[in-house]
PDB file of all heavy atoms in Angstrom:
ATOM      1  N   ASP A   1      15.467  -6.511  -0.142  1.00 80.00           N
ATOM      2  CA  ASP A   1      14.499  -7.473  -0.699  1.00 80.00           C
ATOM      3  C   ASP A   1      13.093  -6.925  -0.549  1.00 80.00           C
ATOM      4  O   ASP A   1      12.188  -7.713  -0.700  1.00 80.00           O
ATOM      5  CB  ASP A   1      14.655  -8.763   0.045  1.00 80.00           C
ATOM      6  CG  ASP A   1      14.171  -8.676   1.467  1.00 80.00           C
ATOM      7  OD1 ASP A   1      14.212  -7.580   2.054  1.00 80.00           O
ATOM      8  OD2 ASP A   1      13.763  -9.738   2.090  1.00 80.00           O
ATOM      9  N   SER A   2      12.930  -5.642  -0.229  1.00 81.00           N
ATOM     10  CA  SER A   2      11.574  -5.040  -0.116  1.00 81.00           C
ATOM     11  C   SER A   2      11.031  -4.771  -1.610  1.00 81.00           C
ATOM     12  O   SER A   2      11.708  -4.940  -2.592  1.00 81.00           O
ATOM     13  CB  SER A   2      11.585  -3.823   0.695  1.00 81.00           C
ATOM     14  OG  SER A   2      12.256  -2.806   0.038  1.00 81.00           O
ATOM     15  N   TYR A   3       9.819  -4.317  -1.573  1.00 77.00           N
ATOM     16  CA  TYR A   3       9.138  -4.072  -2.901  1.00 77.00           C
ATOM     17  C   TYR A   3       9.534  -2.609  -3.410  1.00 77.00           C
ATOM     18  O   TYR A   3       9.010  -2.198  -4.465  1.00 77.00           O
ATOM     19  CB  TYR A   3       7.632  -4.168  -2.767  1.00 77.00           C
ATOM     20  CG  TYR A   3       7.192  -5.572  -2.461  1.00 77.00           C
ATOM     21  CD1 TYR A   3       6.393  -5.851  -1.333  1.00 77.00           C
ATOM     22  CD2 TYR A   3       7.542  -6.599  -3.288  1.00 77.00           C
ATOM     23  CE1 TYR A   3       6.018  -7.127  -1.044  1.00 77.00           C
ATOM     24  CE2 TYR A   3       7.145  -7.871  -3.021  1.00 77.00           C
ATOM     25  CZ  TYR A   3       6.409  -8.173  -1.889  1.00 77.00           C
ATOM     26  OH  TYR A   3       5.946  -9.415  -1.613  1.00 77.00           O
ATOM     27  N   LEU A   4      10.296  -1.913  -2.607  1.00 81.00           N
ATOM     28  CA  LEU A   4      10.660  -0.504  -3.016  1.00 81.00           C
ATOM     29  C   LEU A   4      11.801  -0.470  -3.974  1.00 81.00           C
ATOM     30  O   LEU A   4      12.694  -1.351  -4.064  1.00 81.00           O
ATOM     31  CB  LEU A   4      11.148   0.236  -1.781  1.00 81.00           C
ATOM     32  CG  LEU A   4      10.057   0.701  -0.734  1.00 81.00           C
ATOM     33  CD1 LEU A   4      10.651   1.381   0.454  1.00 81.00           C
ATOM     34  CD2 LEU A   4       9.075   1.647  -1.387  1.00 81.00           C
ATOM     35  N   ASP A   5      11.765   0.608  -4.804  1.00 84.00           N
ATOM     36  CA  ASP A   5      12.939   0.899  -5.654  1.00 84.00           C
ATOM     37  C   ASP A   5      13.778   1.803  -4.653  1.00 84.00           C
ATOM     38  O   ASP A   5      13.655   3.037  -4.635  1.00 84.00           O
ATOM     39  CB  ASP A   5      12.513   1.692  -6.856  1.00 84.00           C
ATOM     40  CG  ASP A   5      13.769   2.072  -7.737  1.00 84.00           C
ATOM     41  OD1 ASP A   5      14.871   1.609  -7.433  1.00 84.00           O
ATOM     42  OD2 ASP A   5      13.518   2.697  -8.801  1.00 84.00           O
ATOM     43  N   THR A   6      14.648   1.177  -3.905  1.00 88.00           N
ATOM     44  CA  THR A   6      15.256   1.791  -2.771  1.00 88.00           C
ATOM     45  C   THR A   6      16.003   3.113  -3.088  1.00 88.00           C
ATOM     46  O   THR A   6      15.757   4.125  -2.438  1.00 88.00           O
ATOM     47  CB  THR A   6      16.244   0.848  -2.026  1.00 88.00           C
ATOM     48  OG1 THR A   6      15.519  -0.404  -1.800  1.00 88.00           O
ATOM     49  CG2 THR A   6      16.694   1.421  -0.717  1.00 88.00           C
ATOM     50  N   SER A   7      16.797   3.048  -4.137  1.00 89.00           N
ATOM     51  CA  SER A   7      17.640   4.243  -4.459  1.00 89.00           C
ATOM     52  C   SER A   7      16.816   5.456  -4.803  1.00 89.00           C
ATOM     53  O   SER A   7      17.074   6.611  -4.218  1.00 89.00           O
ATOM     54  CB  SER A   7      18.600   3.844  -5.561  1.00 89.00           C
ATOM     55  OG  SER A   7      19.428   2.793  -5.264  1.00 89.00           O
ATOM     56  N   SER A   8      15.909   5.261  -5.708  1.00 91.00           N
ATOM     57  CA  SER A   8      15.103   6.392  -6.106  1.00 91.00           C
ATOM     58  C   SER A   8      14.183   6.967  -4.952  1.00 91.00           C
ATOM     59  O   SER A   8      13.985   8.178  -4.870  1.00 91.00           O
ATOM     60  CB  SER A   8      14.279   6.110  -7.301  1.00 91.00           C
ATOM     61  OG  SER A   8      13.321   4.983  -7.045  1.00 91.00           O
ATOM     62  N   VAL A   9      13.607   6.054  -4.151  1.00 92.00           N
ATOM     63  CA  VAL A   9      12.749   6.492  -3.109  1.00 92.00           C
ATOM     64  C   VAL A   9      13.475   7.235  -2.032  1.00 92.00           C
ATOM     65  O   VAL A   9      13.044   8.342  -1.602  1.00 92.00           O
ATOM     66  CB  VAL A   9      11.998   5.286  -2.472  1.00 92.00           C
ATOM     67  CG1 VAL A   9      11.307   5.676  -1.194  1.00 92.00           C
ATOM     68  CG2 VAL A   9      10.999   4.690  -3.443  1.00 92.00           C
ATOM     69  N   ILE A  10      14.681   6.755  -1.625  1.00 92.00           N
ATOM     70  CA  ILE A  10      15.441   7.502  -0.645  1.00 92.00           C
ATOM     71  C   ILE A  10      15.928   8.833  -1.174  1.00 92.00           C
ATOM     72  O   ILE A  10      15.868   9.763  -0.449  1.00 92.00           O
ATOM     73  CB  ILE A  10      16.660   6.584  -0.204  1.00 92.00           C
ATOM     74  CG1 ILE A  10      16.240   5.345   0.548  1.00 92.00           C
ATOM     75  CG2 ILE A  10      17.650   7.401   0.522  1.00 92.00           C
ATOM     76  CD1 ILE A  10      17.327   4.340   0.891  1.00 92.00           C
ATOM     77  N   ALA A  11      16.320   8.886  -2.388  1.00 92.00           N
ATOM     78  CA  ALA A  11      16.730  10.223  -3.003  1.00 92.00           C
ATOM     79  C   ALA A  11      15.629  11.207  -3.051  1.00 92.00           C
ATOM     80  O   ALA A  11      15.822  12.356  -2.751  1.00 92.00           O
ATOM     81  CB  ALA A  11      17.295   9.949  -4.377  1.00 92.00           C
ATOM     82  N   GLU A  12      14.398  10.706  -3.372  1.00 93.00           N
ATOM     83  CA  GLU A  12      13.210  11.612  -3.417  1.00 93.00           C
ATOM     84  C   GLU A  12      12.870  12.072  -2.036  1.00 93.00           C
ATOM     85  O   GLU A  12      12.574  13.323  -1.825  1.00 93.00           O
ATOM     86  CB  GLU A  12      12.084  10.869  -4.068  1.00 93.00           C
ATOM     87  CG  GLU A  12      10.840  11.721  -4.333  1.00 93.00           C
ATOM     88  CD  GLU A  12      11.091  12.839  -5.307  1.00 93.00           C
ATOM     89  OE1 GLU A  12      11.979  12.735  -6.102  1.00 93.00           O
ATOM     90  OE2 GLU A  12      10.365  13.840  -5.239  1.00 93.00           O
ATOM     91  N   LEU A  13      12.889  11.202  -0.993  1.00 93.00           N
ATOM     92  CA  LEU A  13      12.547  11.605   0.326  1.00 93.00           C
ATOM     93  C   LEU A  13      13.581  12.514   0.854  1.00 93.00           C
ATOM     94  O   LEU A  13      13.194  13.498   1.665  1.00 93.00           O
ATOM     95  CB  LEU A  13      12.347  10.348   1.166  1.00 93.00           C
ATOM     96  CG  LEU A  13      11.152   9.445   0.867  1.00 93.00           C
ATOM     97  CD1 LEU A  13      11.192   8.197   1.750  1.00 93.00           C
ATOM     98  CD2 LEU A  13       9.822  10.208   1.145  1.00 93.00           C
ATOM     99  N   HIS A  14      14.806  12.336   0.614  1.00 93.00           N
ATOM    100  CA  HIS A  14      15.799  13.262   1.109  1.00 93.00           C
ATOM    101  C   HIS A  14      15.739  14.591   0.506  1.00 93.00           C
ATOM    102  O   HIS A  14      15.959  15.626   1.120  1.00 93.00           O
ATOM    103  CB  HIS A  14      17.208  12.571   0.831  1.00 93.00           C
ATOM    104  CG  HIS A  14      18.364  13.376   1.339  1.00 93.00           C
ATOM    105  ND1 HIS A  14      19.184  14.124   0.568  1.00 93.00           N
ATOM    106  CD2 HIS A  14      18.770  13.600   2.667  1.00 93.00           C
ATOM    107  CE1 HIS A  14      20.155  14.759   1.353  1.00 93.00           C
ATOM    108  NE2 HIS A  14      19.864  14.426   2.587  1.00 93.00           N
ATOM    109  N   LYS A  15      15.396  14.627  -0.812  1.00 92.00           N
ATOM    110  CA  LYS A  15      15.185  15.884  -1.492  1.00 92.00           C
ATOM    111  C   LYS A  15      14.015  16.685  -0.926  1.00 92.00           C
ATOM    112  O   LYS A  15      14.114  17.951  -0.741  1.00 92.00           O
ATOM    113  CB  LYS A  15      14.927  15.677  -3.042  1.00 92.00           C
ATOM    114  CG  LYS A  15      14.808  16.909  -3.849  1.00 92.00           C
ATOM    115  CD  LYS A  15      14.564  16.535  -5.311  1.00 92.00           C
ATOM    116  CE  LYS A  15      14.501  17.830  -6.123  1.00 92.00           C
ATOM    117  NZ  LYS A  15      14.188  17.503  -7.568  1.00 92.00           N
ATOM    118  N   LYS A  16      13.099  16.016  -0.443  1.00 91.00           N
ATOM    119  CA  LYS A  16      11.837  16.662   0.181  1.00 91.00           C
ATOM    120  C   LYS A  16      12.064  16.872   1.727  1.00 91.00           C
ATOM    121  O   LYS A  16      11.178  17.373   2.342  1.00 91.00           O
ATOM    122  CB  LYS A  16      10.583  15.784  -0.027  1.00 91.00           C
ATOM    123  CG  LYS A  16      10.155  15.691  -1.456  1.00 91.00           C
ATOM    124  CD  LYS A  16       8.934  14.781  -1.659  1.00 91.00           C
ATOM    125  CE  LYS A  16       8.479  14.712  -3.042  1.00 91.00           C
ATOM    126  NZ  LYS A  16       7.244  13.882  -3.199  1.00 91.00           N
ATOM    127  N   GLN A  17      13.321  16.491   2.136  1.00 90.00           N
ATOM    128  CA  GLN A  17      13.704  16.705   3.553  1.00 90.00           C
ATOM    129  C   GLN A  17      12.737  15.894   4.576  1.00 90.00           C
ATOM    130  O   GLN A  17      12.531  16.326   5.687  1.00 90.00           O
ATOM    131  CB  GLN A  17      13.627  18.190   3.993  1.00 90.00           C
ATOM    132  CG  GLN A  17      14.598  19.072   3.178  1.00 90.00           C
ATOM    133  CD  GLN A  17      14.624  20.506   3.550  1.00 90.00           C
ATOM    134  OE1 GLN A  17      13.876  20.933   4.444  1.00 90.00           O
ATOM    135  NE2 GLN A  17      15.566  21.218   3.031  1.00 90.00           N
ATOM    136  N   ARG A  18      12.244  14.826   4.055  1.00 91.00           N
ATOM    137  CA  ARG A  18      11.360  13.991   4.978  1.00 91.00           C
ATOM    138  C   ARG A  18      12.214  12.946   5.769  1.00 91.00           C
ATOM    139  O   ARG A  18      11.818  12.430   6.741  1.00 91.00           O
ATOM    140  CB  ARG A  18      10.282  13.242   4.113  1.00 91.00           C
ATOM    141  CG  ARG A  18       9.391  14.204   3.386  1.00 91.00           C
ATOM    142  CD  ARG A  18       8.300  13.415   2.622  1.00 91.00           C
ATOM    143  NE  ARG A  18       7.369  12.804   3.621  1.00 91.00           N
ATOM    144  CZ  ARG A  18       6.421  12.029   3.201  1.00 91.00           C
ATOM    145  NH1 ARG A  18       6.208  11.681   1.912  1.00 91.00           N
ATOM    146  NH2 ARG A  18       5.616  11.425   4.133  1.00 91.00           N
ATOM    147  N   ILE A  19      13.398  12.687   5.242  1.00 90.00           N
ATOM    148  CA  ILE A  19      14.353  11.842   5.957  1.00 90.00           C
ATOM    149  C   ILE A  19      15.702  12.475   5.948  1.00 90.00           C
ATOM    150  O   ILE A  19      16.091  13.326   5.211  1.00 90.00           O
ATOM    151  CB  ILE A  19      14.443  10.457   5.316  1.00 90.00           C
ATOM    152  CG1 ILE A  19      14.965  10.536   3.865  1.00 90.00           C
ATOM    153  CG2 ILE A  19      13.048   9.718   5.240  1.00 90.00           C
ATOM    154  CD1 ILE A  19      15.219   9.183   3.220  1.00 90.00           C
ATOM    155  N   LEU A  20      16.571  11.925   6.903  1.00 92.00           N
ATOM    156  CA  LEU A  20      17.958  12.295   6.988  1.00 92.00           C
ATOM    157  C   LEU A  20      18.804  11.064   6.574  1.00 92.00           C
ATOM    158  O   LEU A  20      18.406   9.940   6.885  1.00 92.00           O
ATOM    159  CB  LEU A  20      18.340  12.775   8.403  1.00 92.00           C
ATOM    160  CG  LEU A  20      17.481  13.925   8.978  1.00 92.00           C
ATOM    161  CD1 LEU A  20      17.827  14.149  10.436  1.00 92.00           C
ATOM    162  CD2 LEU A  20      17.723  15.224   8.158  1.00 92.00           C
ATOM    163  N   ILE A  21      19.967  11.301   6.029  1.00 92.00           N
ATOM    164  CA  ILE A  21      20.793  10.278   5.499  1.00 92.00           C
ATOM    165  C   ILE A  21      22.171  10.360   6.198  1.00 92.00           C
ATOM    166  O   ILE A  21      22.765  11.385   6.269  1.00 92.00           O
ATOM    167  CB  ILE A  21      20.877  10.397   3.998  1.00 92.00           C
ATOM    168  CG1 ILE A  21      19.590  10.190   3.285  1.00 92.00           C
ATOM    169  CG2 ILE A  21      21.974   9.436   3.513  1.00 92.00           C
ATOM    170  CD1 ILE A  21      19.711  10.229   1.747  1.00 92.00           C
ATOM    171  N   MET A  22      22.638   9.094   6.502  1.00 91.00           N
ATOM    172  CA  MET A  22      24.048   9.051   6.928  1.00 91.00           C
ATOM    173  C   MET A  22      24.717   8.145   5.860  1.00 91.00           C
ATOM    174  O   MET A  22      24.326   7.003   5.651  1.00 91.00           O
ATOM    175  CB  MET A  22      24.161   8.308   8.308  1.00 91.00           C
ATOM    176  CG  MET A  22      25.639   8.156   8.783  1.00 91.00           C
ATOM    177  SD  MET A  22      25.678   7.263  10.326  1.00 91.00           S
ATOM    178  CE  MET A  22      25.015   8.456  11.430  1.00 91.00           C
ATOM    179  N   SER A  23      25.741   8.677   5.183  1.00 90.00           N
ATOM    180  CA  SER A  23      26.390   8.102   4.109  1.00 90.00           C
ATOM    181  C   SER A  23      27.674   7.377   4.479  1.00 90.00           C
ATOM    182  O   SER A  23      28.214   7.695   5.519  1.00 90.00           O
ATOM    183  CB  SER A  23      26.615   9.056   2.923  1.00 90.00           C
ATOM    184  OG  SER A  23      25.428   9.637   2.501  1.00 90.00           O
ATOM    185  N   ASP A  24      28.091   6.440   3.592  1.00 88.00           N
ATOM    186  CA  ASP A  24      29.379   5.786   3.835  1.00 88.00           C
ATOM    187  C   ASP A  24      30.472   6.565   3.147  1.00 88.00           C
ATOM    188  O   ASP A  24      30.265   7.682   2.724  1.00 88.00           O
ATOM    189  CB  ASP A  24      29.265   4.300   3.365  1.00 88.00           C
ATOM    190  CG  ASP A  24      28.957   4.233   1.910  1.00 88.00           C
ATOM    191  OD1 ASP A  24      28.974   5.246   1.217  1.00 88.00           O
ATOM    192  OD2 ASP A  24      28.631   3.079   1.410  1.00 88.00           O
ATOM    193  N   LYS A  25      31.643   5.905   3.070  1.00 88.00           N
ATOM    194  CA  LYS A  25      32.799   6.627   2.458  1.00 88.00           C
ATOM    195  C   LYS A  25      32.583   6.921   0.970  1.00 88.00           C
ATOM    196  O   LYS A  25      33.221   7.872   0.492  1.00 88.00           O
ATOM    197  CB  LYS A  25      34.072   5.826   2.657  1.00 88.00           C
ATOM    198  CG  LYS A  25      34.469   5.655   4.173  1.00 88.00           C
ATOM    199  CD  LYS A  25      35.730   4.828   4.297  1.00 88.00           C
ATOM    200  CE  LYS A  25      36.142   4.747   5.777  1.00 88.00           C
ATOM    201  NZ  LYS A  25      37.377   3.923   5.898  1.00 88.00           N
ATOM    202  N   THR A  26      31.822   6.137   0.324  1.00 89.00           N
ATOM    203  CA  THR A  26      31.552   6.297  -1.075  1.00 89.00           C
ATOM    204  C   THR A  26      30.295   7.242  -1.358  1.00 89.00           C
ATOM    205  O   THR A  26      29.876   7.368  -2.461  1.00 89.00           O
ATOM    206  CB  THR A  26      31.301   4.991  -1.759  1.00 89.00           C
ATOM    207  OG1 THR A  26      30.116   4.323  -1.151  1.00 89.00           O
ATOM    208  CG2 THR A  26      32.478   4.035  -1.653  1.00 89.00           C
ATOM    209  N   LYS A  27      29.803   7.799  -0.219  1.00 88.00           N
ATOM    210  CA  LYS A  27      28.764   8.794  -0.310  1.00 88.00           C
ATOM    211  C   LYS A  27      27.469   8.073  -0.727  1.00 88.00           C
ATOM    212  O   LYS A  27      26.519   8.783  -1.193  1.00 88.00           O
ATOM    213  CB  LYS A  27      29.080   9.939  -1.289  1.00 88.00           C
ATOM    214  CG  LYS A  27      30.217  10.771  -0.791  1.00 88.00           C
ATOM    215  CD  LYS A  27      30.442  11.941  -1.710  1.00 88.00           C
ATOM    216  CE  LYS A  27      31.630  12.802  -1.243  1.00 88.00           C
ATOM    217  NZ  LYS A  27      31.833  14.005  -2.091  1.00 88.00           N
ATOM    218  N   ARG A  28      27.374   6.851  -0.492  1.00 91.00           N
ATOM    219  CA  ARG A  28      26.134   6.110  -0.688  1.00 91.00           C
ATOM    220  C   ARG A  28      25.280   6.079   0.575  1.00 91.00           C
ATOM    221  O   ARG A  28      25.879   5.867   1.643  1.00 91.00           O
ATOM    222  CB  ARG A  28      26.288   4.710  -1.213  1.00 91.00           C
ATOM    223  CG  ARG A  28      26.805   4.655  -2.658  1.00 91.00           C
ATOM    224  CD  ARG A  28      26.960   3.255  -3.231  1.00 91.00           C
ATOM    225  NE  ARG A  28      27.844   2.473  -2.431  1.00 91.00           N
ATOM    226  CZ  ARG A  28      28.062   1.217  -2.683  1.00 91.00           C
ATOM    227  NH1 ARG A  28      27.542   0.573  -3.699  1.00 91.00           N
ATOM    228  NH2 ARG A  28      28.827   0.492  -1.823  1.00 91.00           N
ATOM    229  N   PRO A  29      23.972   6.140   0.546  1.00 91.00           N
ATOM    230  CA  PRO A  29      23.254   6.080   1.875  1.00 91.00           C
ATOM    231  C   PRO A  29      23.453   4.793   2.649  1.00 91.00           C
ATOM    232  O   PRO A  29      23.305   3.700   1.959  1.00 91.00           O
ATOM    233  CB  PRO A  29      21.789   6.178   1.363  1.00 91.00           C
ATOM    234  CG  PRO A  29      21.846   6.913   0.106  1.00 91.00           C
ATOM    235  CD  PRO A  29      23.143   6.442  -0.579  1.00 91.00           C
ATOM    236  N   ARG A  30      23.836   4.848   3.844  1.00 91.00           N
ATOM    237  CA  ARG A  30      24.045   3.699   4.673  1.00 91.00           C
ATOM    238  C   ARG A  30      22.919   3.519   5.743  1.00 91.00           C
ATOM    239  O   ARG A  30      22.453   2.404   5.972  1.00 91.00           O
ATOM    240  CB  ARG A  30      25.405   3.741   5.364  1.00 91.00           C
ATOM    241  CG  ARG A  30      25.771   2.495   6.104  1.00 91.00           C
ATOM    242  CD  ARG A  30      27.152   2.585   6.678  1.00 91.00           C
ATOM    243  NE  ARG A  30      27.498   1.340   7.448  1.00 91.00           N
ATOM    244  CZ  ARG A  30      28.638   1.110   8.088  1.00 91.00           C
ATOM    245  NH1 ARG A  30      29.562   2.060   8.045  1.00 91.00           N
ATOM    246  NH2 ARG A  30      28.846   0.022   8.689  1.00 91.00           N
ATOM    247  N   TYR A  31      22.537   4.609   6.389  1.00 93.00           N
ATOM    248  CA  TYR A  31      21.475   4.645   7.338  1.00 93.00           C
ATOM    249  C   TYR A  31      20.522   5.827   6.987  1.00 93.00           C
ATOM    250  O   TYR A  31      20.900   6.828   6.486  1.00 93.00           O
ATOM    251  CB  TYR A  31      21.967   4.810   8.820  1.00 93.00           C
ATOM    252  CG  TYR A  31      22.764   3.603   9.255  1.00 93.00           C
ATOM    253  CD1 TYR A  31      24.113   3.642   9.222  1.00 93.00           C
ATOM    254  CD2 TYR A  31      22.150   2.603   9.895  1.00 93.00           C
ATOM    255  CE1 TYR A  31      24.839   2.563   9.690  1.00 93.00           C
ATOM    256  CE2 TYR A  31      22.837   1.546  10.411  1.00 93.00           C
ATOM    257  CZ  TYR A  31      24.181   1.448  10.264  1.00 93.00           C
ATOM    258  OH  TYR A  31      24.936   0.430  10.726  1.00 93.00           O
ATOM    259  N   ILE A  32      19.216   5.641   7.284  1.00 92.00           N
ATOM    260  CA  ILE A  32      18.242   6.658   7.061  1.00 92.00           C
ATOM    261  C   ILE A  32      17.495   6.923   8.357  1.00 92.00           C
ATOM    262  O   ILE A  32      17.214   5.899   9.119  1.00 92.00           O
ATOM    263  CB  ILE A  32      17.280   6.354   5.903  1.00 92.00           C
ATOM    264  CG1 ILE A  32      16.651   4.967   6.130  1.00 92.00           C
ATOM    265  CG2 ILE A  32      18.010   6.470   4.586  1.00 92.00           C
ATOM    266  CD1 ILE A  32      15.637   4.634   4.993  1.00 92.00           C
ATOM    267  N   PHE A  33      17.131   8.133   8.619  1.00 93.00           N
ATOM    268  CA  PHE A  33      16.461   8.511   9.875  1.00 93.00           C
ATOM    269  C   PHE A  33      15.166   9.406   9.506  1.00 93.00           C
ATOM    270  O   PHE A  33      15.202  10.089   8.457  1.00 93.00           O
ATOM    271  CB  PHE A  33      17.316   9.321  10.776  1.00 93.00           C
ATOM    272  CG  PHE A  33      18.664   8.605  11.162  1.00 93.00           C
ATOM    273  CD1 PHE A  33      19.684   8.660  10.319  1.00 93.00           C
ATOM    274  CD2 PHE A  33      18.686   7.923  12.332  1.00 93.00           C
ATOM    275  CE1 PHE A  33      20.891   8.020  10.650  1.00 93.00           C
ATOM    276  CE2 PHE A  33      19.841   7.304  12.746  1.00 93.00           C
ATOM    277  CZ  PHE A  33      20.971   7.311  11.870  1.00 93.00           C
ATOM    278  N   TYR A  34      14.172   9.357  10.377  1.00 92.00           N
ATOM    279  CA  TYR A  34      12.983  10.205  10.260  1.00 92.00           C
ATOM    280  C   TYR A  34      13.442  11.704  10.533  1.00 92.00           C
ATOM    281  O   TYR A  34      14.027  11.879  11.546  1.00 92.00           O
ATOM    282  CB  TYR A  34      11.878   9.731  11.131  1.00 92.00           C
ATOM    283  CG  TYR A  34      10.726  10.682  11.164  1.00 92.00           C
ATOM    284  CD1 TYR A  34       9.846  10.701  10.048  1.00 92.00           C
ATOM    285  CD2 TYR A  34      10.428  11.461  12.259  1.00 92.00           C
ATOM    286  CE1 TYR A  34       8.754  11.531  10.061  1.00 92.00           C
ATOM    287  CE2 TYR A  34       9.307  12.226  12.250  1.00 92.00           C
ATOM    288  CZ  TYR A  34       8.427  12.276  11.069  1.00 92.00           C
ATOM    289  OH  TYR A  34       7.388  13.078  11.129  1.00 92.00           O
ATOM    290  N   ASN A  35      12.984  12.523   9.682  1.00 90.00           N
ATOM    291  CA  ASN A  35      13.270  13.995   9.921  1.00 90.00           C
ATOM    292  C   ASN A  35      12.064  14.666  10.508  1.00 90.00           C
ATOM    293  O   ASN A  35      11.024  14.859   9.754  1.00 90.00           O
ATOM    294  CB  ASN A  35      13.674  14.657   8.670  1.00 90.00           C
ATOM    295  CG  ASN A  35      14.054  16.114   8.805  1.00 90.00           C
ATOM    296  OD1 ASN A  35      14.397  16.506   9.933  1.00 90.00           O
ATOM    297  ND2 ASN A  35      14.123  16.889   7.737  1.00 90.00           N
ATOM    298  N   ASP A  36      12.070  14.923  11.832  1.00 85.00           N
ATOM    299  CA  ASP A  36      10.899  15.470  12.472  1.00 85.00           C
ATOM    300  C   ASP A  36      10.818  17.032  12.178  1.00 85.00           C
ATOM    301  O   ASP A  36      11.584  17.783  12.633  1.00 85.00           O
ATOM    302  CB  ASP A  36      11.039  15.324  13.944  1.00 85.00           C
ATOM    303  CG  ASP A  36       9.783  15.718  14.757  1.00 85.00           C
ATOM    304  OD1 ASP A  36       8.809  16.194  14.049  1.00 85.00           O
ATOM    305  OD2 ASP A  36       9.685  15.376  15.929  1.00 85.00           O
ATOM    306  N   MET A  37       9.872  17.301  11.256  1.00 78.00           N
ATOM    307  CA  MET A  37       9.828  18.696  10.854  1.00 78.00           C
ATOM    308  C   MET A  37       9.228  19.671  11.912  1.00 78.00           C
ATOM    309  O   MET A  37       9.376  20.845  11.806  1.00 78.00           O
ATOM    310  CB  MET A  37       8.868  18.776   9.564  1.00 78.00           C
ATOM    311  CG  MET A  37       9.328  18.005   8.409  1.00 78.00           C
ATOM    312  SD  MET A  37      10.918  18.457   7.812  1.00 78.00           S
ATOM    313  CE  MET A  37      10.592  20.070   7.204  1.00 78.00           C
ATOM    314  N   ALA A  38       8.712  19.050  12.992  1.00 73.00           N
ATOM    315  CA  ALA A  38       8.269  19.920  14.068  1.00 73.00           C
ATOM    316  C   ALA A  38       9.424  20.634  14.740  1.00 73.00           C
ATOM    317  O   ALA A  38       9.266  21.617  15.436  1.00 73.00           O
ATOM    318  CB  ALA A  38       7.466  19.009  15.129  1.00 73.00           C
ATOM    319  N   LEU A  39      10.588  20.059  14.645  1.00 73.00           N
ATOM    320  CA  LEU A  39      11.834  20.707  15.239  1.00 73.00           C
ATOM    321  C   LEU A  39      12.378  21.787  14.308  1.00 73.00           C
ATOM    322  O   LEU A  39      13.336  22.459  14.766  1.00 73.00           O
ATOM    323  CB  LEU A  39      12.836  19.652  15.473  1.00 73.00           C
ATOM    324  CG  LEU A  39      12.452  18.496  16.447  1.00 73.00           C
ATOM    325  CD1 LEU A  39      13.492  17.452  16.554  1.00 73.00           C
ATOM    326  CD2 LEU A  39      12.009  18.957  17.768  1.00 73.00           C
ATOM    327  N   GLU A  40      11.839  21.875  13.119  1.00 73.00           N
ATOM    328  CA  GLU A  40      12.330  22.939  12.189  1.00 73.00           C
ATOM    329  C   GLU A  40      11.572  24.182  12.456  1.00 73.00           C
ATOM    330  O   GLU A  40      10.497  24.452  11.927  1.00 73.00           O
ATOM    331  CB  GLU A  40      12.141  22.439  10.725  1.00 73.00           C
ATOM    332  CG  GLU A  40      12.919  21.249  10.445  1.00 73.00           C
ATOM    333  CD  GLU A  40      14.482  21.591  10.226  1.00 73.00           C
ATOM    334  OE1 GLU A  40      14.782  22.823  10.047  1.00 73.00           O
ATOM    335  OE2 GLU A  40      15.327  20.710  10.355  1.00 73.00           O
TER     336      GLU A  40
END
């Protein structure tokens, strides 16, 4: 119910490696995490 276009925003952030994704059995994002680039 947020103002975001959730699917496209999550896909774009994951492509840029800014977030990490945990998917369900259908390979749809279920949880998202912050990707700390300082550890890279």
